[in-house]
Amino acid sequence: QESRGLGDVYKRQFINSPKKCFYLLENQPWERALCFFWKKKFKHKIVGVCHTPLRFWDLRYKNIKNENNKYCRPDLVVLNGKPSFQLFKKEFSMQKKIKLEPLRYTLPKKIKNNNKLKKTIIIVGDYLHNINLTIVESLEKISNNFNFNYLYLPHPFNHKTIISKKLNLKTILNKEKLSKYNAYCFIIPHMSSSALDFYLLSKKIIIFLDNSMPNLSPLYPNKIMHSAHDPKTLQNVLETKLRSNNTKNVYSDFFYISKNKKEWKLFLKN
């Protein structure tokens, strides 16, 4: 029903004759309607762009129903790194997959630490608020065993406040302000794509899991160094010597690299 309703919208919008159509590929129902009505009206290519690295357990990108209807799928799928390409290459066999540089991600700028200050644990919030509360509650139960400051960085679309007198929890709304703190580690919910941002910055990361669902971290399965799912496992991790990624070529582990998006420019010219 969603696709049918959106079909009427697409019919009204496709008035002119554009050369190509690009959309962010997430395998949502409206995308099938977009592809169907585009191909019905135009002969030009429609391109689905995977704008983030594919996650191992993100089943939206799996061809579970063996659905290869070429009229409901894009002509091309753009993938931005080798791990994503390897995950997706067997899916939707009738589609051509191409490798291009990421548009969302650039080489990260380092966030400096103020090492003169007391060590701080950064809680990176998720859109789903329950797991944010679970992380804070877990830290409250073990905080007497450690001597840290605590800082909460909320999700851009979830600014619900979290008050914790026991942690003396402070909130910042912009990660650029992290340079004012001595960030010891970042505790990040497993479904948050921000884990990749901080991994690329070579920060110490603890992925906080929810045992009621698969591990949706973009770092799974090969790049997760530390994880926890309750107060006990979180304490065990914090008592160890946390490791960070120190690989010089970490960006190329996830993404295709070229100077000034050369491959994208060549693709757009054709």
Side-chain angles (χ1 to χ4, degrees):
Q1 291 180 345
E2 180 184 358
S3 294
R4 289 177 185 174
L6 287 169
D8 295 332
V9 175
Y10 296 138
K11 284 180 181 178
R12 293 193 297 269
Q13 293 297 323
F14 294 159
I15 298 173
N16 300 317
S17 183
K19 292 182 178 180
K20 279 191 181 79
C21 175
F22 294 87
Y23 71 93
L24 301 183
L25 179 65
E26 295 180 341
N27 271 351
Q28 304 289 350
W30 65 265
E31 298 173 28
R32 297 178 178 86
L34 170 63
C35 291
F36 178 84
F37 287 102
W38 176 273
K39 293 182 177 184
K40 189 174 182 180
K41 188 172 179 65
F42 304 117
K43 295 181 180 180
H44 302 299
K45 300 289 186 185
I46 180 167
V47 183
V49 180
C50 294
H51 57 296
T52 60
L54 301 191
R55 305 164 192 243
F56 186 88
W57 283 113
D58 193 342
L59 300 183
R60 293 176 301 172
Y61 296 96
K62 301 295 181 181
N63 190 8
I64 296 172
K65 296 181 180 179
N66 195 26
E67 181 187 274
N68 270 316
N69 187 335
K70 65 179 180 179
Y71 294 104
C72 296
R73 307 290 307 165
D75 298 303
L76 300 171
V77 174
V78 174
L79 297 153
N80 59 22
K82 185 177 180 180
S84 296
F85 189 84
Q86 293 299 322
L87 277 175
F88 196 68
K89 68 178 181 179
K90 293 182 181 179
E91 307 299 328
F92 303 101
S93 59
M94 296 176 67
Q95 285 178 307
K96 183 179 179 181
K97 290 90 171 174
I98 58 175
K99 307 171 185 178
L100 296 177
E101 308 92 338
L103 297 176
R104 173 179 171 179
Y105 292 90
T106 57
L107 289 170
K109 296 179 180 178
K110 289 187 176 181
I111 299 176
K112 294 182 180 180
N113 265 3
N114 189 340
N115 295 322
K116 295 180 180 179
L117 299 178
K118 185 177 176 181
K119 290 181 179 179
T120 299
I121 289 179
I122 315 294
I123 304 162
V124 180
D126 188 66
Y127 179 76
L128 299 176
H129 198 55
N130 284 345
I131 195 164
N132 303 333
L133 295 174
T134 301
I135 293 173
V136 171
E137 290 167 1
S138 296
L139 285 169
E140 286 177 333
K141 291 177 181 178
I142 63 174
S143 61
N144 290 338
N145 300 315
F146 301 100
N147 184 27
F148 293 120
N149 286 333
Y150 298 90
L151 191 67
Y152 178 56
L153 177 65
H155 188 278
F157 297 108
N158 176 8
H159 285 171
K160 292 181 180 178
T161 57
I162 298 181
I163 298 173
S164 173
K165 293 182 179 179
K166 187 165 186 178
L167 299 180
N168 191 23
L169 186 64
K170 297 181 180 179
T171 300
I172 59 168
L173 299 179
N174 191 330
K175 68 179 181 181
E176 292 179 0
K177 295 182 179 180
L178 288 173
S179 58
K180 297 180 180 179
Y181 300 88
N182 183 9
Y184 174 65
C185 72
F186 294 77
I187 302 177
I188 305 176
H190 70 97
M191 65 282 281
S192 174
S193 61
S194 63
L196 179 56
D197 297 325
F198 291 108
Y199 181 84
L200 293 174
L201 288 166
S202 297
K203 298 298 182 183
K204 296 175 181 177
I205 296 171
I206 300 173
I207 300 297
F208 199 89
L209 305 173
D210 181 343
N211 284 343
S212 67
M213 64 175 70
N215 186 342
L216 293 174
S217 173
L219 302 181
Y220 180 85
N222 299 318
K223 303 296 183 182
I224 295 179
M225 296 182 180
H226 307 283
S227 64
H229 62 270
D230 60 13
K232 183 178 179 180
T233 54
L234 185 56
Q235 178 170 331
N236 289 341
V237 172
L238 289 172
E239 286 175 344
T240 65
K241 185 177 180 180
L242 295 184
R243 294 177 291 127
S244 63
N245 164 63
N246 293 314
T247 307
K248 291 182 179 179
N249 299 323
V250 61
Y251 190 83
S252 61
D253 287 347
F254 286 92
F255 303 115
Y256 299 119
I257 300 175
S258 71
K259 194 172 183 179
N260 299 321
K261 310 293 184 190
K262 180 179 70 174
E263 297 300 324
W264 261 108
K265 290 176 181 177
L266 289 172
F267 175 69
L268 292 173
K269 285 181 179 179
N270 297 328

